[in-house]
Amino acid sequence: LHVCDAGALFTESGPDAGHGFGDRARTHASVALRAAADAWPVLERFLELRVPDQVTLDTDELVSLLDHGVADLEQRGVSVLWPRTLGRDLTATAVLDRRTAPGRREEPLNTGVFGAEALFSFDWQIALHGEPLDEDEMARLTSAAVPMLKLRDNWVIVDPRIARKAKKRLVRTVKPVQALAAALTGVVEIDDLPEQVIVGASLLEVRERLAGAATREPVAVPPALRAELRDYQRHGLTWLAELTTLGLGACLADDMGLGKTVTLIALHLHRGSGPTLVVCPASLLGNWEAEIRRFAPGVAVRRHHGAGRDLEGLTGGFVLTTYGTMRNDAAALDRVGFDLVVADEAQHVKNPRSSTAQALRSVGSRARVALTGTPVENNLTELWAILDWATPGLLGSRNAFRKVWAAPIEAGVDPDKARQFADLIGPFLLRRRKSDPGIAPELPAKTETDHLLGLTREQVVLYESFVRDSMERIERADEDVRRGLVLKLLTGLKQICNHPAHFLKQANPRLAGRSEKLDLLDEVLGTVLSEDGAVLVFTQYVAMARLLERHLETAGVPHQLLHGGTPVREREAMVARFQAGEVPVFLLSLKAGGTGLNLTRADHVVHVDRWWNPAVEDQATDRAYRIGQTKPVQVHRLVTQGTIEERIAELLARKRALADSVLARGETALTELSDAELRDLVELRPVESSPDGA
């Protein structure tokens, strides 16, 4: 500890002192020493000396200085300077490598490396000037009785924390996927602190294989596949083959319509090592069966759905089931011993606590693949649920994930966290969009139009009175009741914007002339039918779809309606009729018809009302705008001016990233608005003109 010339201050403080210091300097030195002694009590011995120039430290005091004294003194602004002959150059770094169990020989890291028997560990590596200590030096370090040691002809100060790490070389053993996670990010949490990791040779090869899995030379297309795979599909197949060969899961998150189904069929043929279970929404069973028979005609397909379900004698091929059936038959499915389990539209299990998600986790297989066009609808925890099913343990527990990754990334406080997270999930999540260069150049143009419409006089009266009455109740309500009232307000306003009869729940209403949405829909349908085209009409409300169905019946327009209650076989028949050109107008409820269906006969898509999440609307549009579409697609979004619909449309158009992170939470997020913010969102605003003067 350097105390400058404190002795001179105390022995030569008279007016003739040659050093030039006076009584004030002596006083300041005393105050400084007392402050330092408060931080590190050993310095109180200075204050007991008439000439406080030096003290001799014993071993315990030196350990105390190294252990916490230096840090405590620095907090008080006191620097500790060390003699040049004493170095503080010992460092400890976490090293991650494979650990071989006693009595087992180490096997190469290849097929099945991430099986249950593989074991990895973090160990502390102690180094001097960056060069690791050898075993003899480590032995001397761990047995040293004093915090100073002569290593390589130099005396070094041994920080007690480093000494403890040297004595306890093993930090902990970890499962293979946990080791892989640390290898990908280069960081591990030890005692709640991030530590840099040196990756041992046993994991470097795997890390490099994963990093290049989606870009390396593609594997051969299976001879039994009756399809020409596009380049990006071959790379997707190669990536899936690499990960599943290593015993890892994957999430293929390509845009809707880019051929995830045919890629999975190719993977099944490539592996050729047992049956594949596909779990999907009921509406997609027919699509999967048709695609398998089309692209792999020699492969057996068995539907495990409805009455008479049977898994006996299953040795290969595909088993197709729904999430509901899987939930009920999870134990029987687990006994089959599947090679692959595929979760299609995997966002259905984004809630890990749901009985469906838990049942899916209980069905065993050699590898798992999640398929989804929207891996993150609301927050990062949903992505955790999908990836933790595909590769359990990769992202840690749900609570640990929220603390380590989701919370800091969503708060935007640590840019490095976002980069590390991308490094971690990148090898397991493959995302391609139609707009990416070279992905789907053959797709025709897509034109999107927001049709701004007015409200009729009847709608204006309903809208304003409903806002007034609802806001009065909301402003008086307690928090729990308020949330329900806000949701009721938002739903009611959207119904009013659609049609007064929708909001009023009228049994046999007059429809014509009461909503500009209905008038514009008539115009669009007239154009489509005159050009021998076909149109998809989406609404989020089955009740509104019923009103449209009634209107089209009156007008004599051929149509059909699909909603959540439509039986699976009837859905398949509807798709076939539409694709064959027998029915030009297809009414669909957004949730039932927004995913999975292949409806490329349509060249127009109409969104009667706006959904809170643009990704859901995009998925619905992709029923028509997908590979196989040969005609330009026109998308029509009907938006009433001055209303909540226009406010939401402005937000979505201005910043879709906001929609991904906030509006995707839908009406629930809007319940958290203050009364003033909510009123600003829902109040009817004047517009420049309206056809009926409203």
Side-chain angles (χ1 to χ4, degrees):
L1 183 68
H2 186 68
V3 197
C4 63
D5 289 325
L9 294 179
F10 286 87
T11 57
E12 301 183 44
S13 58
D16 298 326
H19 53 68
F21 293 138
D23 290 339
R24 182 175 296 179
R26 177 173 180 166
T27 300
H28 283 304
S30 296
V31 171
L33 280 174
R34 289 187 183 280
D38 288 341
W40 188 47
V42 175
L43 294 181
E44 291 177 358
R45 290 166 50 198
F46 266 129
L47 301 175
E48 298 170 358
L49 300 175
R50 188 179 67 84
V51 180
D53 53 355
Q54 65 180 19
V55 294
T56 301
L57 303 180
D58 61 26
T59 298
D60 290 341
E61 290 170 335
L62 185 54
V63 169
S64 167
L65 176 65
L66 293 168
D67 205 5
H68 61 82
V70 172
D72 293 344
L73 287 166
E74 286 181 348
Q75 286 185 347
R76 296 293 186 96
V78 179
S79 299
V80 178
L81 307 179
W82 301 91
R84 292 181 179 178
T85 54
L86 283 180
R88 300 187 72 210
D89 303 310
L90 282 177
T91 57
T93 308
V95 175
L96 173 63
D97 212 341
R98 195 170 191 188
R99 178 172 291 268
T100 305
R104 289 179 58 89
R105 70 180 173 85
E106 185 167 325
E107 299 175 352
L109 288 178
N110 46 35
T111 304
V113 57
F114 293 101
E117 294 184 356
L119 190 65
F120 293 80
S121 67
F122 293 104
D123 296 89
W124 289 116
Q125 181 186 86
I126 313 300
L128 179 63
H129 300 295
E131 292 293 326
L133 301 186
D134 59 30
E135 288 303 318
D136 177 63
E137 291 167 332
M138 285 295 297
R140 291 168 55 204
L141 175 60
T142 56
S143 62
V146 294
M148 286 188 295
L149 185 67
K150 192 170 186 179
L151 291 173
R152 301 174 188 172
D153 297 325
N154 290 297
W155 285 97
V156 294
I157 294 290
V158 181
D159 190 310
R161 287 168 292 188
I162 290 181
R164 288 193 290 269
K165 292 174 181 178
K167 291 176 181 177
K168 185 185 177 184
R169 294 279 295 278
L170 175 65
V171 179
R172 64 173 178 265
T173 57
V174 293
K175 295 180 179 179
V177 289
Q178 296 171 312
L180 182 58
L184 291 169
T185 61
V187 177
V188 63
E189 295 275 332
I190 299 177
D191 297 330
D192 293 329
L193 294 173
E195 297 279 356
Q196 296 297 314
V197 174
I198 296 176
V199 180
S202 59
L203 275 172
L204 285 176
E205 176 191 352
V206 176
R207 188 171 71 179
E208 291 169 1
R209 285 173 65 180
L210 289 176
T215 56
R216 72 173 178 84
E217 185 66 24
V219 298
V221 176
L225 186 71
R226 298 294 183 262
E228 287 288 332
L229 294 184
R230 293 169 171 81
D231 284 345
Y232 74 87
Q233 291 171 333
R234 289 192 65 192
H235 283 296
L237 169 62
T238 303
W239 172 75
L240 287 169
E242 186 74 78
L243 265 69
T244 55
T245 295
L246 287 168
L248 298 167
C251 177
L252 182 58
D254 287 346
D255 264 359
M256 290 291 176
L258 289 183
K260 294 190 289 292
T261 304
V262 70
T263 304
L264 257 294
I265 294 170
L267 177 66
H268 170 87
L269 295 173
H270 173 82
R271 288 176 64 85
S273 51
T276 293
L277 173 67
V278 175
V279 187
C280 63
S283 60
L284 302 189
L285 285 173
N287 184 67
W288 269 97
E289 185 170 4
E291 298 273 273
I292 294 167
R293 297 197 189 285
R294 175 185 174 190
F295 297 127
V299 174
V301 186
R302 184 181 302 192
R303 282 203 193 195
H304 187 71
H305 181 63
R309 301 193 294 271
D310 181 21
L311 293 170
E312 293 299 321
L314 189 65
T315 58
F318 281 89
V319 175
L320 310 179
T321 192
T322 66
Y323 282 101
T325 302
M326 178 277 304
R327 183 174 60 245
N328 295 327
D329 292 5
L333 291 166
D334 180 49
R335 289 193 292 271
V336 171
F338 287 101
D339 176 57
L340 272 178
V341 172
V342 178
D344 193 11
E345 301 295 344
Q347 67 272 17
H348 281 76
V349 290
K350 65 187 180 184
N351 178 5
R353 295 192 178 96
S354 69
S355 58
T356 301
Q358 292 174 5
L360 186 62
R361 287 172 180 267
S362 71
V363 180
S365 63
R366 294 189 182 93
R368 295 170 170 177
V369 177
L371 303 180
T372 177
T374 53
V376 180
E377 285 187 324
N378 302 330
N379 53 57
L380 287 177
T381 306
E382 295 175 356
L383 180 59
W384 172 87
I386 293 173
L387 290 180
D388 191 67
W389 169 75
T391 305
L394 176 71
L395 302 179
S397 69
R398 185 174 183 270
N399 289 337
F401 175 77
R402 288 293 312 164
K403 174 185 174 184
V404 175
W405 297 111
I409 291 172
E410 290 171 356
V413 297
D414 188 353
D416 286 341
K417 274 292 179 186
R419 178 190 55 77
Q420 290 171 0
F421 186 63
D423 291 341
L424 173 57
I425 68 170
F428 304 93
L429 179 72
L430 189 59
R431 175 76 162 147
R432 278 88 59 93
R433 301 178 183 272
K434 295 190 187 81
S435 56
D436 292 345
I439 291 298
E442 74 277 18
L443 275 176
K446 178 176 68 171
T447 304
E448 298 180 276
T449 304
D450 284 352
H451 297 274
L452 298 180
L453 306 170
L455 295 178
T456 63
R457 180 72 66 184
E458 181 184 10
Q459 286 174 304
V460 169
V461 172
L462 286 172
Y463 193 102
E464 290 183 332
S465 61
F466 190 57
V467 167
R468 182 177 59 253
D469 295 344
S470 298
M471 288 304 304
E472 288 177 359
R473 297 177 62 193
I474 288 169
E475 289 166 354
R476 294 195 306 265
D478 60 37
E479 184 176 346
D480 292 336
V481 174
R482 181 185 187 277
R483 188 171 289 111
L485 291 174
V486 172
L487 293 175
K488 184 178 179 181
L489 168 63
L490 298 174
T491 299
L493 292 180
K494 291 199 290 183
Q495 292 173 345
I496 292 170
C497 291
N498 278 347
H499 197 285
H502 184 193
F503 174 73
L504 297 171
K505 299 179 176 58
Q506 294 173 328
N508 296 296
R510 176 181 60 85
L511 297 176
R514 300 174 67 190
S515 170
E516 289 189 17
K517 285 190 177 184
L518 205 60
D519 296 342
L520 182 66
L521 181 62
D522 285 341
E523 291 181 21
V524 171
L525 295 184
T527 301
V528 171
L529 296 177
S530 68
E531 297 175 351
D532 194 27
V535 59
L536 307 179
V537 181
F538 285 101
T539 173
Q540 60 189 287
Y541 301 106
V542 175
M544 184 62 189
R546 295 287 190 197
L547 290 176
L548 295 176
E549 183 181 39
R550 174 187 173 91
H551 178 67
L552 295 179
E553 285 174 356
T554 302
V557 176
H559 66 279
Q560 58 186 10
L561 169 60
L562 185 151
H563 55 80
T566 306
V568 173
R569 294 291 183 185
E570 179 58 21
R571 294 182 190 205
E572 295 167 9
M574 284 182 172
V575 171
R577 286 196 296 269
F578 182 79
Q579 288 294 85
E582 298 173 15
V583 183
V585 180
F586 205 160
L587 302 174
L588 307 104
S589 69
L590 194 62
K591 286 188 176 180
T595 57
L597 302 178
N598 188 342
L599 301 170
T600 51
R601 171 81 173 84
D603 53 353
H604 287 261
V605 177
V606 178
H607 292 286
V608 173
D609 35 53
R610 300 305 309 270
W611 189 248
W612 305 100
N613 184 352
V616 176
E617 287 186 352
D618 291 344
Q619 283 194 51
T621 298
D622 285 345
R623 300 311 94 229
Y625 191 65
R626 58 194 297 124
I627 287 176
Q629 179 59 266
T630 58
K631 297 169 291 185
V633 174
Q634 296 188 52
V635 181
H636 309 269
R637 292 187 289 254
L638 311 189
V639 181
T640 49
Q641 287 182 285
T643 71
I644 186 175
E645 281 193 327
E646 187 176 33
R647 235 64 51 78
I648 295 299
E650 289 170 355
L651 286 173
L652 300 185
R654 186 166 66 241
K655 193 173 183 183
R656 293 181 75 85
L658 175 64
D660 290 340
S661 62
V662 178
L663 291 181
R665 292 168 54 203
E667 295 146 332
T668 303
L670 299 180
T671 63
E672 307 304 321
L673 296 176
S674 68
D675 289 343
E677 291 169 330
L678 180 63
R679 186 178 289 277
D680 182 64
L681 179 71
V682 300
E683 279 190 333
L684 187 63
R685 296 180 182 179
V687 294
E688 292 184 3
S689 62
S690 178
D692 65 354

